[in-house]
Amino acid sequence: MKIAELRNKPFILLVLKDGLAQGYFTEEFVHKTKQQLSDMSLRIASDNLSIIYADHIKKACEIVLGIINLGLLSHCDNSTEKAKEIIKTQGIVYCFRAGWAKYAELKQISAEYFKQVKLSSYALGANDTTDITQIHADFVEKGQNSLRLFNLHRIMSSQYAANVVLPETDEDYLRFELQKLLNSAIALKLIDSQEKVFNNERYEQLITYLSHTDVNLILEKFALCVENFAGSQPAATKAYLEETSLLDFNEFKSIITSQKKLTVYIPEILELSVNLTNELNDDFEGGYDFGGDDLEDIAYLKPE
């Protein structure tokens, strides 16, 4: 059988069947191999599922098939003859370990991402037509993207974070926070500030600029700021920002274009310190940012 056909089916079962039919494997060898498959399935069920429920044992068998297929396909160089040789000389356990090593690669990419990948994702049924190598390749790509997002957030937050950054691995949260950091970076460029964090004065300067400048002029400068910011980033970082649409700034540009309730929506999309945010919401308990309004707050507290 051609490898292209076999790749769309549980490869190991077909190789064993072909090898037995051709006299390459003995009945005794196939029986021993099937016993090893059963043993590994029970081990997987015991460690990750349950040996009490029949459907769990079935799922464990499918996981073992998937992992073995992954290991065998990664070592046979698309050759059915080499696949049979590997099984005969190295054994089925060797194939499983090779597949498990591929699965464990995800942990090397990102330990947190690895925790999110269910082992059952590698399961293959007896008549499954899924290409297990593509499944693994997709997980690898997602893991690498997850790591890139985490590292980029770490780099950007070290420059633009106005508050203490707590360790976080949730991708949606990281992307949301990263967009706020990027919004702030561009917003500061709009007012020609060399600083990396907003205070009360710089925030008021931004609101004034957005409120009293022609929208078309703002958008023209906005595009230049984005271009300059992207150009100052390492090539890999710039490529990732473009791939993930983080440089589109659709929400930011929409707020600028609408020119409605700037003081309501702008704070929501920027990285602002807790103190500044509290001031904008008339929450004196937020503390001081050493802006002009702090003197009024202090005067209010002084006895007459």
Side-chain angles (χ1 to χ4, degrees):
M1 294 185 182
K2 296 180 179 180
I3 189 68
E5 178 183 356
L6 295 179
R7 285 177 66 91
N8 291 325
K9 300 177 182 179
F11 190 43
I12 180 62
L13 298 182
L14 290 172
V15 172
L16 287 172
K17 181 180 179 181
D18 289 349
L20 179 62
Q22 297 165 1
Y24 193 82
F25 301 137
T26 65
E27 290 281 359
E28 181 182 2
F29 177 82
V30 172
H31 176 75
K32 178 183 177 182
T33 299
K34 288 181 178 179
Q35 185 61 52
Q36 289 176 319
L37 288 170
S38 298
D39 292 343
M40 286 187 286
S41 298
L42 289 173
R43 177 69 66 84
I44 288 291
S46 177
D47 292 347
N48 300 276
L49 303 169
S50 172
I51 59 174
I52 299 177
Y53 304 104
D55 59 330
H56 283 204
I57 295 178
K58 178 183 178 183
K59 178 60 67 175
C61 292
E62 294 174 347
I63 291 172
V64 168
L65 279 179
I67 294 294
I68 289 176
N69 272 285
L70 179 61
L72 185 58
L73 286 167
S74 67
H75 281 69
C76 72
D77 299 326
N78 285 349
S79 168
T80 54
E81 294 303 315
K82 186 172 182 179
K84 287 185 288 187
E85 179 185 354
I86 290 173
I87 293 174
K88 185 174 183 178
T89 59
Q90 302 293 333
I92 204 72
V93 176
Y94 169 85
C95 297
F96 179 85
R97 288 174 177 168
W100 191 268
K102 299 288 289 183
Y103 164 65
E105 288 177 356
L106 300 177
K107 189 173 185 179
Q108 297 175 11
I109 296 173
S110 171
E112 291 299 325
Y113 173 74
F114 178 72
K115 294 177 183 178
Q116 302 171 24
V117 178
K118 296 180 179 179
L119 182 58
S120 58
S121 302
Y122 284 82
L124 283 182
N127 298 310
D128 204 324
T129 59
T130 305
D131 182 356
I132 194 65
T133 58
Q134 187 57 54
I135 288 178
H136 179 67
D138 290 343
F139 278 132
V140 169
E141 182 178 4
K142 291 178 181 178
Q144 292 171 338
N145 287 337
S146 178
L147 181 61
R148 291 166 71 189
L149 173 61
F150 178 82
N151 287 336
L152 183 55
H153 179 272
R154 177 175 53 81
I155 293 171
M156 291 298 173
S157 63
S158 68
Q159 300 178 56
Y160 297 99
N163 306 290
V164 176
V165 178
L166 300 177
E168 180 60 60
T169 58
D170 181 78
E171 290 188 32
D172 290 337
Y173 175 84
L174 289 176
R175 191 173 291 106
F176 172 76
E177 289 297 317
L178 179 56
Q179 187 66 74
K180 289 177 65 176
L181 294 170
L182 294 172
N183 287 344
S184 293
I186 300 304
L188 287 164
K189 284 182 174 294
L190 281 176
I191 58 174
D192 301 316
S193 174
Q194 301 301 314
E195 302 297 330
K196 297 298 181 73
V197 177
F198 275 101
N199 63 1
N200 187 279
E201 180 183 354
R202 287 188 282 274
Y203 175 78
E204 291 298 334
Q205 186 179 348
L206 174 66
I207 294 299
T208 301
Y209 172 74
L210 295 179
S211 303
H212 297 86
T213 308
D214 181 77
V215 172
N216 291 326
L217 292 178
I218 296 175
L219 293 177
E220 288 179 10
K221 187 173 183 179
F222 193 101
L224 289 175
C225 290
V226 173
E227 183 180 349
N228 292 336
F229 176 82
S232 67
Q233 304 303 314
T237 298
K238 179 181 177 182
Y240 177 75
L241 290 172
E242 292 174 340
E243 290 170 10
T244 54
S245 301
L246 285 166
L247 293 181
D248 289 352
F249 297 101
N250 292 326
E251 185 178 20
F252 199 166
K253 288 187 288 188
S254 176
I255 294 173
I256 293 173
T257 302
S258 67
Q259 285 287 298
K260 294 179 180 180
K261 298 183 178 180
L262 289 174
T263 56
V264 174
Y265 295 120
I266 286 296
E268 296 297 321
I269 67 168
L270 298 179
E271 169 69 5
L272 303 177
S273 69
V274 173
N275 287 344
L276 178 52
T277 300
N278 286 332
E279 282 199 30
L280 295 177
N281 290 282
D282 296 322
D283 182 3
F284 177 75
E285 293 181 358
Y288 305 98
D289 66 350
F290 302 102
D293 58 337
D294 292 339
L295 297 178
E296 297 178 4
D297 291 333
I298 294 173
Y300 173 79
L301 293 177
K302 291 180 178 181
E304 296 182 359

